[in-house]
Amino acid sequence: MEAESRKLLLLLSVFLCCFVGVARAQSYIGVNYGEVADNLPPVDETVKLLKSTTISKVRLYGVDAGIIRALAGTGISLVVGVANGDIPSLAADPAAASRWLAANVLPFVPASTISVVAVGNEVLESGDASLAAALLPAMQNLRAAAAAAGDGAAGIKFSTVNTMAVLAQSDPPSTGAFHPEIASQLQQILGFLSKTSAPFMINPYPYFAYQSDPRPETLAFCLFQPNAGRVDAGSKIKYTNMFDAQLDAVKSALGRAGYGNVEIVVAETGWPTKGDAGEAGATADNAKAYVSNLVAHLRSGAGTPLMPGKSVDTYLFALYDEDLKPGPTSERSFGLYHTDLTMAYDAGLTSSGSAASPSNGGGGGATAQPSAGGWCVASAGATEADLQADLDYACAQVGVDCSAIQPGGACFDPNTVRAHAAYAMNQLYQAAGRHPWNCDFRQSATLTSDNPSYGSCVYTGGQ
């Protein structure tokens, strides 16, 4: 009886470990909560929306007491921001840093979880030399104030958010290097981040990379869609998407600066649902493709070629459209949700057991739900060239097993591109979550309820 009890306890502990692992499996998905708008929903409605998703982190650009308090006890952590205009005073006077912390952090912790204070936004790229020079002293004074405050604040990290413009070189990724003009200041900041185990926060936007090179093959590379890939001549690594390439360029730059141990956090990334006439690629379909495929990529746990096996913490931009932002139409059109709480498109963020908000935007009309079953196969009109590209792409993805279509495999015959592509596309569709958009492949694939298995060749899937 005692042996049976020990066995039961062991099984229970294994179950609990697995359950906790699943519960935390999407702790790397965050979202930016911008407030440059006059039509944002009430805070309680926003918190309810966030709790219905797999989002576990929220980044604020300042300090909003209402949203911070409303997220207390939810398990959703926060990044709060120090305004660029506050940096000089915080750098000049440790007492000012203590006052800032006392007013903007200490009233909320530990009830609310504040993980990072982002000191300034895109300061090093601002062109303001005096502001950039004040950045590190401000970070140091704030951290000292947090350490002195003790419990609730001592564990908060202090960092700053940068754009990809801090890099003088990023293509290919192995050549990644920081601009020499900011090298001395950045070197000191990186030393601070390394010493305090704080992250290097960066804003990679494949959308802007496509803007500078608006070719179809670049769009596919940016949207995580089938493409020929790009080989880094230095590392010999073949990249299949722009997001990984940009992050590995940052990783290379950190290593070149002597701080390859510093963690990278994606503070912003996203894709606009609409834009002006000259803004190539700013569509709801592209936004849905980029964000949903990025989320699937993060969930795979594949990481990047230089940072394998771990998803980088990523804050999607943004929760809502911001109608008061200046600039082109795209600047006001990055929202995952409209301010009436409906989806701009389904990015696959709705948590299991939660009812998805309906979509009244573009990119698919009604809410796209995971497929109830079925298989993904080659469409009748797909060309052999498209299918070969799809085959190569699918088999290169983590979690996709193409051994059955290798010589001697159960699905090798018939030895045709169409048959092999169909098998590979279905393998990727099943592995990625069986959402309708996982069976798009630039319209060279289609869903079917007819089992395509034959003989000893078995296609994964079904009802």
Side-chain angles (χ1 to χ4, degrees), residues 376-382 387 417-419 421-423 425 444-446:
C376 178
V377 296
S379 62
L387 292 174
V417 170
R418 176 170 291 274
Y423 182 86
M425 289 189 291
S444 58
T446 186

Side-chain angles (χ1 to χ4, degrees), residues 130-199:
S130 62
L131 184 65
L135 181 57
L136 178 59
M139 294 166 67
Q140 291 170 326
N141 284 344
L142 284 166
R143 183 175 184 274
D151 292 345
I156 296 173
K157 307 300 182 183
F158 293 84
S159 186
T160 189
V161 176
N162 309 278
T163 71
M164 291 293 289
V166 295
L167 297 181
Q169 180 71 31
S170 61
D171 186 24
S174 63
T175 65
F178 294 115
H179 268 293
E181 294 84 356
I182 62 171
S184 60
Q185 288 173 331
L186 189 54
Q187 196 76 11
Q188 296 177 62
I189 290 171
L190 291 175
F192 171 82
L193 298 180
S194 177
K195 182 179 179 180
T196 61
S197 300

Side-chain angles (χ1 to χ4, degrees), residues 268-285:
E268 286 182 21
T269 190
W271 199 285
T273 54
K274 57 185 174 181
D276 295 326
E279 296 186 283
T283 69
D285 285 340

Side-chain angles (χ1 to χ4, degrees), residues 157-406:
K157 307 300 182 183
F158 293 84
S159 186
T160 189
V161 176
N162 309 278
T163 71
M164 291 293 289
V166 295
L167 297 181
Q169 180 71 31
S170 61
D171 186 24
S174 63
T175 65
F178 294 115
H179 268 293
E181 294 84 356
I182 62 171
S184 60
Q185 288 173 331
L186 189 54
Q187 196 76 11
Q188 296 177 62
I189 290 171
L190 291 175
F192 171 82
L193 298 180
S194 177
K195 182 179 179 180
T196 61
S197 300
F200 182 79
M201 304 180 79
I202 190 77
N203 298 344
Y205 275 93
Y207 167 70
F208 292 121
Y210 173 64
Q211 288 279 295
S212 64
D213 181 23
R215 297 176 296 150
E217 54 266 39
T218 304
L219 183 62
F221 188 67
C222 290
L223 297 181
F224 297 85
Q225 291 178 337
N227 63 88
R230 300 181 180 183
V231 176
D232 184 324
S235 66
K236 309 304 180 186
I237 293 171
K238 183 177 182 179
Y239 286 88
T240 59
N241 67 81
M242 182 67 77
F243 181 80
D244 283 357
Q246 290 184 327
L247 287 192
D248 277 1
V250 176
K251 181 70 171 177
S252 295
L254 289 171
R256 194 160 275 114
Y259 290 100
N261 64 314
V262 172
E263 178 191 5
I264 295 172
V265 164
V266 174
E268 286 182 21
T269 190
W271 199 285
T273 54
K274 57 185 174 181
D276 295 326
E279 296 186 283
T283 69
D285 285 340
N286 287 342
K288 177 179 178 179
Y290 175 69
V291 178
S292 64
N293 287 334
L294 170 59
V295 168
H297 181 54
L298 294 172
R299 284 178 179 153
S300 75
T304 75
L306 295 186
M307 297 177 285
K310 179 182 181 296
S311 296
V312 173
D313 284 359
T314 299
Y315 291 81
L316 303 172
F317 187 82
L319 185 60
Y320 299 121
D321 289 333
E322 297 175 81
D323 65 327
L324 298 183
K325 288 191 92 172
T329 298
S330 62
E331 285 293 313
R332 296 177 289 281
S333 309
F334 277 85
L336 298 167
Y337 296 88
H338 301 298
T339 52
D340 64 0
L341 302 175
T342 59
M343 291 179 180
Y345 53 87
D346 188 351
L349 293 169
T350 304
S351 63
S352 58
S354 296
S357 300
S359 169
N360 65 2
T367 302
Q369 298 294 336
S371 171
W375 298 266
C376 178
V377 296
S379 62
T383 67
E384 186 161 308
D386 285 341
L387 292 174
Q388 183 63 60
D390 297 338
L391 169 61
D392 294 341
Y393 176 81
C395 289
Q397 303 311 301
V398 174
V400 176
D401 182 4
C402 288
S403 59
I405 53 176
Q406 300 303 312

